[in-house]
Amino acid sequence: MSAAAGGPGPRVYTLVGPDGRSFVSAVPGTLGGHRRGRLYGRLDCPSALRAIARGHYVRYRVFFADEGAALEAGYRPCAVCLPERYADWKQGRRRSGTLS
């Protein structure tokens, strides 16, 4: 999330939309993700927070308004903070023949 340039004023956030493109929003995202890994999860995900603390991840961090936007943009659920959604996602890929 980034504040608007130019000093005080309304705070704005950069989110990724269902089309995978970034857009500016007055409302912060509810989920975070990793652009290169194409995954999304909770903002308090322990795995993401550990990576951020080690100095990784931040460069490729993205934010989503909601889960639908993340899925539509082609991101998958995090196995650490969203294990049930990840299992459902993985099972769906197995059924479609995408995974071996």
Side-chain angles (χ1 to χ4, degrees):
M1 290 181 259
S2 60
R11 185 163 171 110
V12 296
Y13 303 90
T14 302
L15 305 180
V16 175
D19 60 359
R21 294 182 180 184
S22 297
F23 70 96
V24 175
S25 171
V27 179
T30 62
L31 297 167
H34 189 267
R35 186 176 305 279
R36 291 183 80 190
R38 307 289 293 176
L39 62 97
Y40 73 90
R42 296 187 335 237
L43 296 176
D44 65 346
C45 175
S47 181
L49 294 176
R50 278 192 302 273
I52 290 168
R54 290 190 309 265
H56 303 290
Y57 201 90
V58 176
R59 180 178 181 181
Y60 301 104
R61 187 99 159 125
V62 294
F63 299 91
F64 300 97
D66 55 43
E67 187 171 31
L71 290 168
E72 291 267 333
Y75 286 68
R76 69 159 177 87
C78 174
V80 174
C81 67
L82 300 171
E84 292 171 0
R85 288 186 180 100
Y86 174 77
D88 292 344
W89 171 84
K90 192 170 181 179
Q91 188 64 31
R93 286 187 49 137
R94 281 198 179 119
R95 277 193 298 271
S96 70
T98 311
L99 287 179
S100 52

